[in-house]
Short mmCIF file of all heavy atoms in Angstrom, two decimals:
data_model
loop_
_atom_site.label_atom_id
_atom_site.label_comp_id
_atom_site.label_asym_id
_atom_site.label_seq_id
_atom_site.Cartn_x
_atom_site.Cartn_y
_atom_site.Cartn_z
N ILE A 17 1.50 -12.97 11.76
CA ILE A 17 0.94 -11.68 11.37
C ILE A 17 2.06 -10.75 10.90
O ILE A 17 3.12 -10.69 11.51
CB ILE A 17 0.21 -11.02 12.56
CG1 ILE A 17 -0.92 -11.92 13.06
CG2 ILE A 17 -0.31 -9.65 12.17
CD1 ILE A 17 -2.06 -12.07 12.11
N MET A 18 1.79 -10.04 9.80
CA MET A 18 2.68 -9.00 9.31
C MET A 18 1.86 -7.74 9.05
O MET A 18 0.82 -7.81 8.40
CB MET A 18 3.36 -9.44 8.01
CG MET A 18 4.31 -10.63 8.17
SD MET A 18 4.19 -11.80 6.79
CE MET A 18 2.74 -12.75 7.27
N ILE A 19 2.30 -6.60 9.60
CA ILE A 19 1.57 -5.34 9.43
C ILE A 19 2.49 -4.34 8.73
O ILE A 19 3.63 -4.15 9.14
CB ILE A 19 1.10 -4.77 10.78
CG1 ILE A 19 0.21 -5.79 11.52
CG2 ILE A 19 0.32 -3.47 10.56
CD1 ILE A 19 -0.24 -5.32 12.88
N TYR A 20 1.96 -3.70 7.68
CA TYR A 20 2.72 -2.73 6.91
C TYR A 20 1.96 -1.40 6.90
O TYR A 20 0.73 -1.37 6.92
CB TYR A 20 2.92 -3.21 5.46
CG TYR A 20 3.63 -4.53 5.36
CD1 TYR A 20 2.92 -5.73 5.41
CD2 TYR A 20 5.00 -4.59 5.21
CE1 TYR A 20 3.56 -6.95 5.33
CE2 TYR A 20 5.66 -5.81 5.12
CZ TYR A 20 4.93 -6.99 5.18
OH TYR A 20 5.58 -8.19 5.11
N ARG A 21 2.71 -0.31 6.85
CA ARG A 21 2.12 1.02 6.74
C ARG A 21 2.52 1.63 5.41
O ARG A 21 3.68 1.54 4.99
CB ARG A 21 2.58 1.94 7.87
CG ARG A 21 1.96 3.34 7.81
CD ARG A 21 2.42 4.21 8.97
NE ARG A 21 1.72 5.51 8.95
CZ ARG A 21 2.15 6.57 8.30
NH1 ARG A 21 3.29 6.51 7.61
NH2 ARG A 21 1.46 7.69 8.31
N ILE A 22 1.53 2.23 4.74
CA ILE A 22 1.77 2.93 3.48
C ILE A 22 1.89 4.42 3.79
O ILE A 22 0.95 5.01 4.34
CB ILE A 22 0.64 2.71 2.47
CG1 ILE A 22 0.32 1.22 2.33
CG2 ILE A 22 1.01 3.32 1.12
CD1 ILE A 22 1.45 0.40 1.78
N GLY A 23 3.00 5.04 3.46
CA GLY A 23 3.17 6.47 3.70
C GLY A 23 2.20 7.30 2.89
O GLY A 23 1.78 6.91 1.79
N ASP A 24 1.85 8.47 3.41
CA ASP A 24 0.89 9.33 2.73
C ASP A 24 1.29 9.62 1.28
O ASP A 24 0.46 9.63 0.37
CB ASP A 24 0.73 10.65 3.48
CG ASP A 24 0.06 10.45 4.84
OD1 ASP A 24 -0.49 9.35 5.05
OD2 ASP A 24 0.10 11.38 5.66
N ARG A 25 2.58 9.86 1.08
CA ARG A 25 3.05 10.21 -0.26
C ARG A 25 3.08 9.01 -1.20
O ARG A 25 3.24 9.18 -2.40
CB ARG A 25 4.44 10.84 -0.18
CG ARG A 25 4.47 12.16 0.59
CD ARG A 25 5.86 12.75 0.63
NE ARG A 25 5.91 14.02 1.35
CZ ARG A 25 7.00 14.74 1.53
NH1 ARG A 25 8.16 14.29 1.06
NH2 ARG A 25 6.96 15.88 2.20
N SER A 26 2.97 7.82 -0.63
CA SER A 26 3.07 6.61 -1.45
C SER A 26 1.72 5.98 -1.76
O SER A 26 1.66 5.01 -2.52
CB SER A 26 3.96 5.57 -0.75
OG SER A 26 5.26 6.08 -0.55
N ILE A 27 0.64 6.52 -1.16
CA ILE A 27 -0.67 5.91 -1.40
C ILE A 27 -1.04 5.99 -2.88
O ILE A 27 -1.56 5.03 -3.45
CB ILE A 27 -1.74 6.59 -0.52
CG1 ILE A 27 -1.51 6.23 0.94
CG2 ILE A 27 -3.14 6.16 -0.95
CD1 ILE A 27 -2.48 6.89 1.89
N ALA A 28 -0.76 7.14 -3.51
CA ALA A 28 -1.09 7.28 -4.93
C ALA A 28 -0.36 6.23 -5.77
O ALA A 28 -0.91 5.65 -6.70
CB ALA A 28 -0.74 8.68 -5.41
N THR A 29 0.91 5.96 -5.41
CA THR A 29 1.69 4.94 -6.13
C THR A 29 1.09 3.56 -5.92
O THR A 29 0.97 2.77 -6.86
CB THR A 29 3.15 4.96 -5.65
OG1 THR A 29 3.71 6.25 -5.87
CG2 THR A 29 3.96 3.92 -6.39
N ALA A 30 0.68 3.27 -4.68
CA ALA A 30 0.08 1.97 -4.39
C ALA A 30 -1.23 1.78 -5.15
O ALA A 30 -1.53 0.69 -5.64
CB ALA A 30 -0.15 1.84 -2.88
N VAL A 31 -2.02 2.86 -5.26
CA VAL A 31 -3.27 2.79 -6.03
C VAL A 31 -2.98 2.59 -7.50
O VAL A 31 -3.58 1.75 -8.18
CB VAL A 31 -4.11 4.06 -5.79
CG1 VAL A 31 -5.31 4.08 -6.73
CG2 VAL A 31 -4.56 4.14 -4.35
N ARG A 32 -2.04 3.36 -8.03
CA ARG A 32 -1.70 3.30 -9.46
C ARG A 32 -1.20 1.91 -9.84
O ARG A 32 -1.52 1.39 -10.92
CB ARG A 32 -0.64 4.34 -9.78
CG ARG A 32 -0.21 4.39 -11.25
CD ARG A 32 1.06 5.18 -11.41
NE ARG A 32 2.18 4.52 -10.72
CZ ARG A 32 3.27 5.15 -10.28
NH1 ARG A 32 3.37 6.46 -10.43
NH2 ARG A 32 4.23 4.48 -9.69
N ASP A 33 -0.41 1.29 -8.97
CA ASP A 33 0.17 -0.02 -9.28
C ASP A 33 -0.76 -1.18 -8.94
O ASP A 33 -0.36 -2.35 -9.07
CB ASP A 33 1.50 -0.19 -8.52
CG ASP A 33 2.56 0.79 -9.01
OD1 ASP A 33 2.34 1.43 -10.06
OD2 ASP A 33 3.61 0.90 -8.35
N GLY A 34 -1.97 -0.88 -8.48
CA GLY A 34 -2.93 -1.93 -8.21
C GLY A 34 -2.69 -2.69 -6.92
O GLY A 34 -3.25 -3.77 -6.72
N ILE A 35 -1.85 -2.14 -6.03
CA ILE A 35 -1.56 -2.81 -4.76
C ILE A 35 -2.61 -2.49 -3.72
O ILE A 35 -3.05 -3.36 -2.96
CB ILE A 35 -0.16 -2.40 -4.25
CG1 ILE A 35 0.92 -2.82 -5.24
CG2 ILE A 35 0.12 -2.99 -2.88
CD1 ILE A 35 2.30 -2.29 -4.89
N PHE A 36 -3.05 -1.24 -3.69
CA PHE A 36 -3.95 -0.77 -2.63
C PHE A 36 -5.27 -1.53 -2.65
O PHE A 36 -5.91 -1.69 -3.68
CB PHE A 36 -4.20 0.73 -2.81
CG PHE A 36 -4.94 1.35 -1.67
CD1 PHE A 36 -4.39 1.41 -0.40
CD2 PHE A 36 -6.20 1.89 -1.87
CE1 PHE A 36 -5.09 1.98 0.65
CE2 PHE A 36 -6.90 2.47 -0.82
CZ PHE A 36 -6.34 2.52 0.45
N GLN A 37 -5.66 -2.04 -1.50
CA GLN A 37 -6.90 -2.78 -1.27
C GLN A 37 -6.94 -4.13 -1.97
O GLN A 37 -8.01 -4.74 -2.07
CB GLN A 37 -8.13 -1.95 -1.65
CG GLN A 37 -8.37 -0.77 -0.69
CD GLN A 37 -9.72 -0.13 -0.87
OE1 GLN A 37 -10.24 -0.05 -1.99
NE2 GLN A 37 -10.31 0.32 0.22
N GLY A 38 -5.81 -4.61 -2.46
CA GLY A 38 -5.78 -5.94 -3.05
C GLY A 38 -5.20 -6.96 -2.08
O GLY A 38 -4.67 -6.61 -1.02
N SER A 39 -5.32 -8.22 -2.41
CA SER A 39 -4.71 -9.28 -1.60
C SER A 39 -3.21 -9.30 -1.84
O SER A 39 -2.73 -8.96 -2.92
CB SER A 39 -5.31 -10.64 -1.95
OG SER A 39 -6.69 -10.67 -1.62
N LEU A 40 -2.45 -9.71 -0.82
CA LEU A 40 -1.00 -9.70 -0.90
C LEU A 40 -0.44 -11.11 -0.95
O LEU A 40 -0.87 -11.99 -0.22
CB LEU A 40 -0.39 -8.98 0.32
CG LEU A 40 -0.76 -7.52 0.57
CD1 LEU A 40 0.05 -6.98 1.74
CD2 LEU A 40 -0.54 -6.67 -0.67
N SER A 41 0.54 -11.29 -1.82
CA SER A 41 1.39 -12.48 -1.79
C SER A 41 2.65 -12.11 -1.01
O SER A 41 2.83 -10.97 -0.60
CB SER A 41 1.74 -12.91 -3.21
OG SER A 41 2.53 -11.90 -3.84
#
C-alpha cells in the first residue's frame, strides 16, 4: 500500500494535468 496526500494549493494542478481521480502507474 502507498498513500499520498495532495496539498490544497496543488489540487488545481493535479486536476489540470489529468492526475486527479485517475488511475496511477
